[in-house]
Amino acid sequence: MSDYNELYQQIILEHNKKPRNFKVLESANAYSLGKNPLCGDQFALYAKLDEHDQIEDIGFQGDGCAISKASASLMTNAVKGKSRKEALEMMDEFQKLLTGQLDDSQPHHLGRLTILSGVREYPVRVKCATLAWHTLAAALKGQEEASTE
Ligand code: ZN
């Protein structure tokens, strides 16, 4: 196993076991319920935006496969403190990363999220990894439901 694959596996396992920001956010002013019917992943996403349209706090709850949960955990860490616009930009970049339209040679704002680029090798898993991002985008746009379908 290469170092990259080992790190990828480790991060997925670790975030699946101990997801970050795994909580209901009582003070949320943005919410969406995201579903990936192909795999059965389902997460509720809560975000609190401050008066400057910045994500002050974020949480998610629900259940899904290891990749969907780890990706949601990594996503919440990555967008905390970002503006609505920055978060939507990251979502776009993440989507491109997983569909092979963006690689590390191009400028992006994904930071360590690029570890999930390994999902590219498993097209059926791409929807698992992007579910949390679709759900965040829906919440930020005021849509209470999101689906990968
Ligand atoms: Zn899944």
Side-chain angles (χ1 to χ4, degrees):
M1 206 189 265
S2 71
D3 286 352
Y4 168 77
N5 279 329
E6 205 166 305
L7 185 63
Y8 168 79
Q9 295 286 351
Q10 261 176 27
I11 287 184
I12 302 261
L13 287 177
E14 214 267 318
H15 278 263
N16 181 48
K17 202 160 75 181
K18 273 195 253 164
R20 315 299 196 271
N21 305 302
F22 197 67
K23 61 185 178 187
V24 174
L25 204 64
E26 300 291 348
S27 59
N29 50 16
Y31 165 86
S32 193
L33 180 64
K35 292 176 189 175
N36 175 20
L38 271 183
C39 181
D41 312 318
Q42 182 169 318
F43 294 103
L45 187 102
Y46 308 84
K48 174 157 175 28
L49 286 105
D50 68 12
E51 67 273 24
H52 307 293
D53 232 14
Q54 268 182 333
I55 300 171
E56 193 179 294
D57 203 1
I58 186 161
F60 76 103
Q61 283 273 285
D63 213 357
C65 66
I67 288 177
S68 66
K69 199 180 236 178
S71 180
S73 170
L74 286 158
M75 183 276 284
T76 56
N77 265 358
V79 301
K80 208 188 264 191
K82 298 282 193 285
S83 71
R84 181 194 305 258
K85 187 169 166 277
E86 287 167 328
L88 290 172
E89 209 168 73
M90 287 170 80
M91 186 234 170
D92 188 52
E93 290 175 350
F94 189 70
Q95 179 90 21
K96 285 185 174 151
L97 178 78
L98 292 202
T99 51
Q101 298 170 69
L102 182 132
D103 63 51
D104 256 338
S105 66
Q106 292 157 274
H108 61 73
H109 308 85
L110 295 172
R112 52 196 296 269
L113 288 171
T114 56
I115 191 69
L116 289 173
S117 66
V119 175
R120 227 186 255 168
E121 309 299 319
Y122 314 93
V124 73
R125 291 285 173 206
V126 168
K127 286 186 174 179
C128 300
T130 53
L131 174 62
W133 288 91
H134 282 296
T135 312
L136 173 70
L140 292 178
K141 291 171 182 167
Q143 298 159 355
E144 295 207 338
E145 274 179 51
S147 174
T148 55
E149 288 290 88

